[in-house]
Amino acid sequence: MKMQIDPAPDNIARYADMFTALGSESRLRVVRLLLSAHPQGLVVGEIQKALGTSPSTLSHHLERLRHERLVTVKRESTFLRYSVNAPVLQDLLSFLVSECCSRNRAVRPDVVLEICRGC
C-alpha cells in the first residue's frame, strides 16, 4: 500500500514541529535509543540510565516527543514505558523522501533504497 502524502499547510506545520522536536540532541538520542528497543520500548528508568539524563530533563524531552506523537507511552503498574511511534516516523520519513526523491529528485531514489537495504 502506497502512503499518500498530503502537503497541505497544516501538515507542513505538523512535520515542521516534528523536525523541531527531533532537532534537539537530547531528544534525538531518546528516539535513537527507543528505536533500538523497538517494538517493546523502554521504561523511563532504563532511558535515564542509558542516557545519564536527570529525571526532570528527561521528563521534559519525553513530553515534547509525546506531544508531537513521535513516541507513545503506556503505563505498566508504577512504570511508564515509552516506544517510538513507528507509523508517525514512517509518515515523516515518507514526507521527506517524497519531497527530495519523487518530486525533484534532489536525492537519487536508488541511494535512498540502498540506505534502507543496509538497515
Side-chain angles (χ1 to χ4, degrees), residues 20 27 35 38-39 52 54 56-57 64 73 98 101 108 112 116:
T20 298
R27 288 190 288 270
L35 282 168
H38 184 72
S54 73
S56 61
T57 299
R64 177 67 192 272
V73 62
S98 73
C101 300
R108 293 185 358 234
V112 174
C116 291

Side-chain angles (χ1 to χ4, degrees), residues 82-106:
Y82 283 85
S83 302
V84 294
N85 190 340
V88 169
L89 284 175
Q90 182 175 323
D91 186 39
L92 182 62
L93 291 171
S94 295
F95 165 75
L96 190 60
V97 168
S98 73
E99 292 299 317
C100 72
C101 300
S102 301
R103 287 186 181 196
N104 65 22
R105 301 209 182 251

Side-chain angles (χ1 to χ4, degrees), residues 14-25:
R14 185 172 68 92
Y15 294 135
D17 289 343
M18 288 181 197
F19 281 118
T20 298
L22 291 171
S24 160
E25 179 182 345

Side-chain angles (χ1 to χ4, degrees), residues 2-14:
K2 187 173 180 176
M3 182 175 292
Q4 296 295 320
I5 305 301
D6 180 8
D10 58 333
N11 283 342
I12 298 291
R14 185 172 68 92

Side-chain angles (χ1 to χ4, degrees), residues 103-117:
R103 287 186 181 196
N104 65 22
R105 301 209 182 251
V107 175
R108 293 185 358 234
D110 60 314
V111 172
V112 174
L113 288 173
E114 190 61 35
I115 291 168
C116 291
R117 281 189 198 112

Side-chain angles (χ1 to χ4, degrees), residues 26-34 47 51 58 62 65:
S26 295
R27 288 190 288 270
L28 192 54
R29 287 179 188 276
V30 169
V31 170
R32 286 186 71 201
L33 180 63
L34 291 175
I47 300 168
L51 299 179
L58 181 58
L62 289 169
L65 291 168

Side-chain angles (χ1 to χ4, degrees), residues 44 48 53-63:
V44 173
Q48 183 181 356
T53 307
S54 73
S56 61
T57 299
L58 181 58
S59 176
H60 165 75
H61 292 309
L62 289 169
E63 180 56 28

